[in-house]
DNA sequence: TCGTAGTGGAACACAGTTGTTCCATGACGG
DNA sequence: CCGTCATGGAACAACTGTGTTCCACTACGA
C-alpha cells in the first residue's frame, strides 16, 4: 500500500495544490513561497520532495491525472466532434489555475502524446462529420482550444463580476463559431 | 540631441532586441544570458542599463512604440470594426516574440490605458456596424484577440513547415468567425 | 506514561544572479 | 601618433534560493 499515514497524504496534497496555484502565476516562484502558501514549513516541503524537480514532476503528474479525469467526464466519444470538444472545454475550464500551468507549457510532460493523439482523433471526427471546418488543421484547433481556455480563465480572474457561467458561455460561443464550417 | 554616438544607439538596440527575444521565452532569464545573446559583455549591458528594472522598462517602452506603430499601420479608422481588428491582427502578428512578452502580462506597462481604450472604441464600432456580435463584451473580444495572436505565434514557432502566410490565414479565419454575429 | 510520527525553526554551506570597480584593449578621428 | 570612446574581462561583495542537518515541540496510540 502507498497509503502511508493519511496525514502525510493530506500534507502532500496541500503542497501540490499550493504549488499549482503559485506556479501558475509565476513559474519561477520559490519553494519558500510555496511552503508558506501550503501553510507548511520549508523543512516539511523538502521532506516530501527532495528537490525542486521532484515537486515539479509531482505537479505534472497531478496535472495529468486531473486532465485525464476531465476528459473522462467529457465523454468524448459521444455526439459530433465539435460537441465533444465543447464538452471537454467545459470540463477543462473548471481546472482553474492548472490551465495557466498547462498553457504556459511549463507542465510539458503532463499529458503524454497518447492524450494529445486522442484529442486529435476527436477533432478529425469533427472534420469528417462536418461539425468542424476541414480547412482548420487538427493541431491548430488544439492550439486554439487551449488559448481560448486560457483567455477565458484570465478573463474570469480579472473580472469578479463575470460569473463562471457567463464566461463559459462566451467561451462556448466564440469557440464554436471559430470552428464552424463556412456554409453551415 | 539624444543621438549620442550612433554606435551607442546600435549597442543599446541590440541589447533591447536580445532582451525581448529571451524574456519572451523565459521572463526570469539572467542578464548574463541577455548580454551573451546581444553579443555584448555583461559590463556593457550594465553601462547602458544600471539595473535590471531599467532594462525592463526600456523593453516595455520599446514594446509600446512597436505596438503603436503597428496600430498606425493598421489604419484602424477605416472600414468596419471587424475589418480594422483583422488588419490590426496582421500587423501585430509580425511583432513576433514581442507578442509572447505582451501576452504574458510581464510587459504590463507597455501600452497605457489610452491605447486599450482606443481598441475598445474600435470594437464598439464593430458592435454598432454589425460586424462584431454585440453579445460579446468589448474586453472579452480584446482578450480573445490577444490569446489567438499568441496561439498563432506559438503555432508558427513550433511548426517550421507552416508559412507565415498560412498561419495568418488560419488566424484570420478563426478570429473573424468567432466575432461574426449569429445570422450573418 | 512512554515512544513514535509528523512537524517547524534555526543554522549552515553552496550556487547563481546582481551590481560595482578597476584595468586593458581595439577603433577612430584629429 | 595620440587621446577618447566604447568595450570586455576579472574580481569582488551582497543577496537570494536551495538543500541539508540538527534539535525541539505536539499529538496520539499502546
Amino acid at each position: 500500500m502507498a497509503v502511508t499515514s493519511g496525514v502525510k497524504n493530506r500534507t502532500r496534497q496541500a503542497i501540490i495544490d499550493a504549488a499549482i496555484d503559485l506556479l501558475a502565476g509565476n513559474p519561477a516562484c520559490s519553494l519558500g513561497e510555496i511552503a508558506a502558501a501550503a501553510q507548511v514549513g520549508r523543512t516539511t516541503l523538502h521532506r516530501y520532495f527532495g528537490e525542486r524537480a521532484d515537486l515539479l514532476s509531482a505537479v505534472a503528474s497531478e496535472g495529468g491525472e486531473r486532465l485525464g479525469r476531465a476528459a473522462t467526464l467529457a465523454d468524448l466519444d459521444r455526439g459530433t466532434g465539435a460537441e465533444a470538444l465543447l464538452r471537454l472545454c467545459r470540463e477543462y475550464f473548471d481546472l482553474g489555475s492548472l490551465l495557466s500551468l498547462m498553457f504556459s507549457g511549463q507542465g510539458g510532460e503532463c499529458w503524454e502524446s497518447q492524450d494529445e493523439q486522442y484529442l486529435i482523433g476527436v477533432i478529425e471526427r469533427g472534420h469528417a462529420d462536418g461539425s468542424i471546418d476541414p480547412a482548420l488543421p487538427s493541431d491548430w484547433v488544439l492550439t486554439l482550444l487551449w488559448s481560448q481556455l486560457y483567455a477565458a480563465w484570465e478573463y474570469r480572474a480579472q473580472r469578479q463580476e463575470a460569473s463562471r457561467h457567463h464566461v463559459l458561455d462566451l467561451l462556448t460561443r466564440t469557440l464554436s463559431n471559430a470552428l464552424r464550417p463556412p456554409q453551415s
Side-chain angles (χ1 to χ4, degrees), chain A residues 75-128:
Chain A
D75 194 10
L76 293 174
D77 291 328
R78 206 183 73 224
T80 68
E83 286 165 358
L85 230 49
L86 289 177
R87 280 200 306 276
L88 182 68
C89 236
R90 293 180 167 270
E91 297 299 332
Y92 273 2
F93 185 75
D94 289 327
L95 293 180
S97 53
L98 186 59
L99 284 178
S100 312
L101 215 52
M102 298 293 93
F103 190 67
S104 309
Q106 309 297 349
E109 300 82 5
C110 271
W111 57 347
E112 300 306 329
S113 53
Q114 51 178 20
D115 303 291
E116 178 149 348
Q117 278 309 311
Y118 188 69
L119 285 191
I120 295 286
V122 173
I123 297 171
E124 285 171 353
R125 194 175 90 225
H127 285 155

Side-chain angles (χ1 to χ4, degrees), chain A residues 8 26 36 43 51 76 91 97 99 114 124 130 145 148 177:
Chain A
K8 294 184 78 168
N26 171 22
T43 309
E51 42 185 86
L76 293 174
E91 297 299 332
S97 53
L99 284 178
Q114 51 178 20
E124 285 171 353
L145 175 78
Q148 294 211 11
N177 270 349

Side-chain angles (χ1 to χ4, degrees), chain A residues 141-172:
Chain A
V141 172
L142 208 48
T143 303
L144 205 62
L145 175 78
W146 278 107
S147 75
Q148 294 211 11
L149 266 170
Y150 178 77
W153 172 249
E154 283 300 313
Y155 185 75
R156 174 151 164 60
Q158 284 179 6
R159 265 153 283 258
Q160 298 82 351
E161 80 272 14
S163 73
R164 171 186 171 281
H165 179 271
H166 181 227
V167 175
L168 208 38
D169 189 56
L170 289 177
L171 172 59
T172 302

